[in-house]
């Protein structure tokens, strides 16, 4: 995947098209608009083509010059949403892991159907407190963050209560995720045991993709689907939000294809039990 999401790129182009419509409706050429604002004449072209992101000040100035002040706040809100599609971890976590966990709560609360694909880690809704702490401690150390791990763990545990509400969670794990030891053997054994318990929850469906199958579809990046409107992807350097319809459709199709190769029920429990026994 490219460092920047095509969702963000396409959204920026759509914003540029809207800016062009406002300028044309005002009867201004790009040169005339730039002259009114004291800009280099290429600046408007870069905004309209989506190759450069306008600042909030730029957007308000554009609207004022076009006699469309009433549209400024709408455009600013749109631009803020685009900026949030690709956020580097150091920006998202600059105030600590607790804040980063809290920022996800509104999306979780308004989602009814969750689909998670996890190739390497057990995902948030079915993590134990010890597993969460080990994972967040590793993130804190790797990224040099402030030490608010315990507070962040509490937020995530509170967020997990959503699995007991009338929602659906479909979780697909690569079998290899059961063997990636986070926090040591005791923590991992406890996590895997809890995974078996979580399978009994009426809101949760857990499938395991066996590592010894012939794979028509190779593992991809882990991703989290929230209803049919948002996908979250965690990259090495950044947090990616996907909202473009054609991209959402690609993730939904990929999830469905991966689901076809997963085992559930007793077969999934057998794979988890085998992983527990391997912890020694």
């Amino acid at each position: 995947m490219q460092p920047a999401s095509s969702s963000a790129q396409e959204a920026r182009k759509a914003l540029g098209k809207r800016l062009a419509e406002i300028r044309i409706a005002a009867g201004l050429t790009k040169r005339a608009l730039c002259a009114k604002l004291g800009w280099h004449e290429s600046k408007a072209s870069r905004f309209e083509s989506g190759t450069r992101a306008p600042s909030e000040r730029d957007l308000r100035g554009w609207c004022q010059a076009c006699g469309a002040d009433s549209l400024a706040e709408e455009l600013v809100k749109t631009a803020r949403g685009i900026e949030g599609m690709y956020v580097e971890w150091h920006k998202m976590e600059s105030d600590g892991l607790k804040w980063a966990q809290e920022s996800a709560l509104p999306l979780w609360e308004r989602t009814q159907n969750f689909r998670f694909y996890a190739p390497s880690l057990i995902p948030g809704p079915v993590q134990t407190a010890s597993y969460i702490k080990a994972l967040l401690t590793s993130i804190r150390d790797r990224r040099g963050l402030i030490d608010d791990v315990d507070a962040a763990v509490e937020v995530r545990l509170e967020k997990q209560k959503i699995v007991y509400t009338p929602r659906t969670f479909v979780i697909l794990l690569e079998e290899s995720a059961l063997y990636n030891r986070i926090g040591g053997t005791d923590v991992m054994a406890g996590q895997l045991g809890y995974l078996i318990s979580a399978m009994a929850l009426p809101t949760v469906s857990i499938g395991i993709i066996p590592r010894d199958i012939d794979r028509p579809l190779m593992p991809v990046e882990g991703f989290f689907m929230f209803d049919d409107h948002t996908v979250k992807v965690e990259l090495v350097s950044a947090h990616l939000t996907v909202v473009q319809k054609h991209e959402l459709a690609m993730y939904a199709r990929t999830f469905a294809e991966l689901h076809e190769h997963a085992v559930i029920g007793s077969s999934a429990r057998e794979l988890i039990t085998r992983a527990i026994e391997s912890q020694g």
Side-chain angles (χ1 to χ4, degrees):
M1 182 172 289
Q2 295 298 317
S5 164
S6 60
S7 281
Q9 293 168 343
E10 291 191 18
R12 196 172 290 124
K13 288 180 181 179
L15 175 61
K17 183 179 179 180
R18 179 65 177 134
L19 290 174
E21 292 171 350
I22 293 170
R23 173 183 58 77
I24 292 170
L28 294 172
T29 64
K30 283 180 278 190
R31 178 176 294 180
L33 175 67
C34 288
K36 291 185 70 171
L37 293 168
W39 294 351
H40 188 279
E41 63 181 63
S42 65
K43 189 171 181 177
S45 294
R46 291 197 295 270
F47 288 163
E48 291 187 7
S49 66
T51 57
R52 177 176 173 181
S55 67
E56 294 184 15
R57 182 178 179 181
D58 292 330
L59 291 170
R60 290 192 170 94
W62 189 291
C63 289
Q64 184 177 29
C66 294
D69 292 280
S70 62
L71 300 177
E73 291 308 314
E74 171 199 339
L75 295 177
V76 167
K77 183 178 179 180
T78 298
R80 287 173 179 169
I82 295 171
E83 184 180 353
M85 289 181 179
Y86 183 86
V87 183
E88 294 181 10
W89 289 118
H90 75 88
K91 292 182 179 179
M92 176 173 283
E93 299 167 343
S94 60
D95 292 323
L97 288 165
K98 178 177 181 287
W99 183 90
Q101 293 295 317
E102 289 175 336
S103 67
L105 290 175
L107 176 60
W108 280 60
E109 290 171 350
R110 65 175 179 265
T111 299
Q112 295 298 311
N113 301 303
F114 298 77
R115 284 168 287 176
F116 288 1
Y117 168 66
S120 57
L121 297 171
I122 310 301
V126 289
Q127 291 173 347
T128 64
S130 296
Y131 187 92
I132 295 170
K133 184 169 184 176
L135 185 60
L136 295 183
T137 298
S138 174
I139 291 172
R140 178 203 65 194
D141 294 344
R142 185 170 75 251
R143 296 177 185 158
L145 306 175
I146 63 173
D147 187 6
D148 65 346
V149 168
D150 288 341
V153 169
E154 290 301 317
V155 173
R156 181 169 285 191
L157 288 174
E158 184 67 24
K159 186 167 62 175
Q160 281 184 346
K161 293 179 180 179
I162 200 170
V163 301
Y164 299 101
T165 63
R167 289 171 168 85
T168 60
F169 291 81
V170 181
I171 297 171
L172 297 181
L173 299 172
E174 294 287 344
E175 185 182 359
S176 57
L178 308 177
Y179 291 88
N180 290 332
R181 192 171 293 164
I182 304 297
T185 55
D186 290 344
V187 169
M188 200 64 200
Q191 171 60 72
L192 295 174
Y194 179 69
L195 200 58
I196 292 177
S197 299
M199 294 173 71
L201 294 172
T203 58
V204 177
S205 172
I206 297 177
I208 311 293
I209 302 174
R211 55 187 178 181
D212 60 355
I213 63 170
D214 294 331
R215 299 199 63 125
L217 181 67
M218 292 301 295
V220 294
E221 71 273 10
F223 58 90
F224 314 115
M225 301 188 67
F226 300 84
D227 290 326
D228 293 317
H229 55 67
T230 304
V231 169
K232 298 285 188 178
V233 184
E234 295 184 353
L235 307 177
V236 171
S237 60
H239 184 272
L240 184 66
T241 300
V242 176
V243 296
Q244 293 293 322
K245 288 185 177 180
H246 76 278
E247 287 188 282
L248 293 172
M250 290 176 64
Y251 278 101
R253 185 167 60 251
T254 298
F255 189 89
E257 292 171 352
L258 288 165
H259 195 279
E260 290 180 1
H261 304 293
V263 297
I264 60 174
S266 60
S267 296
R269 286 191 291 272
E270 182 179 341
L271 292 179
I272 298 171
T273 300
R274 190 182 306 166
I276 294 173
E277 292 171 350
S278 75
Q279 299 301 316

